Amino acid sequence: MFAGLGYNSSIMKLDHVGIAVTSIEQSRRFYESGLGLPAAPHTEEVAGEKVRVLKLECADPTHIELIESASPDSAIAKFIEKRGPGLHHLCYQTGDIVADIARLKSQGFTPLWDAPRPGADGCLVMFFHPKETFGVLTELAQKSR
Ligand code: ZN
């Protein structure tokens, strides 16, 4: 904790770091054997985003997500085409995604969609474009209850 700030349980936690990869099979070796991060037993297909995702445990609750395109017209495929594989987005956990989106909107930050959508792990998610977030694609995720 930062001195003087005290602990506030409502501060958002970093949920995951999304990393765009051309191949989960090829890149997982670095994270699993190299860094020793335990991988989820299976990759998950996120149909809405046309991607496959492999989660690797980091410090709780943060994890690493390797994201591979499942279709040439996915946002991840376009990202890799333009910028190459690498750091794609940061995701913060929220307890109330609707309220957090409303607050960000009231401060002039425009969410990517009209309403949150289903993401990996049954979460509800929303993204904010790097144009408005000083260069970092930012995701909010609310766990399903
Ligand atoms: Zn994500």
Side-chain angles (χ1 to χ4, degrees), residues 16 18 65 67 89-91 127 139:
H16 62 267
E65 271 187 16
I67 311 164
H89 68 273
L90 297 183
C91 176
F127 285 91
E139 177 182 18

Side-chain angles (χ1 to χ4, degrees), residues 24-73:
I24 286 174
E25 270 328 295
Q26 282 169 29
S27 55
R28 65 186 295 170
R29 195 172 68 87
F30 171 71
Y31 298 92
E32 271 187 296
S33 348
L35 299 180
L37 305 182
H42 305 288
T43 58
E44 182 185 351
E45 184 115 21
V46 183
E49 298 304 307
K50 301 178 187 166
V51 295
R52 280 180 292 271
V53 168
L54 178 67
K55 286 171 73 164
L56 296 119
E57 255 177 71
C58 210
D60 185 51
T62 309
H63 59 272
I64 302 294
E65 271 187 16
L66 300 182
I67 311 164
E68 163 190 276
S69 175
S71 159
D73 65 343

Side-chain angles (χ1 to χ4, degrees), residues 78-104:
K78 287 173 193 153
F79 175 90
I80 290 176
E81 202 182 293
K82 231 163 101 181
R83 310 170 56 165
L87 197 55
H88 183 258
H89 68 273
L90 297 183
C91 176
Y92 298 89
Q93 270 179 22
T94 165
D96 187 345
I97 195 165
V98 172
D100 284 327
I101 292 168
R103 187 187 62 254
L104 282 152

Side-chain angles (χ1 to χ4, degrees), residues 5-18:
L5 289 182
Y7 180 69
N8 181 343
S9 62
S10 71
I11 292 177
M12 286 184 187
K13 289 185 177 144
L14 187 64
D15 184 77
H16 62 267
V17 176

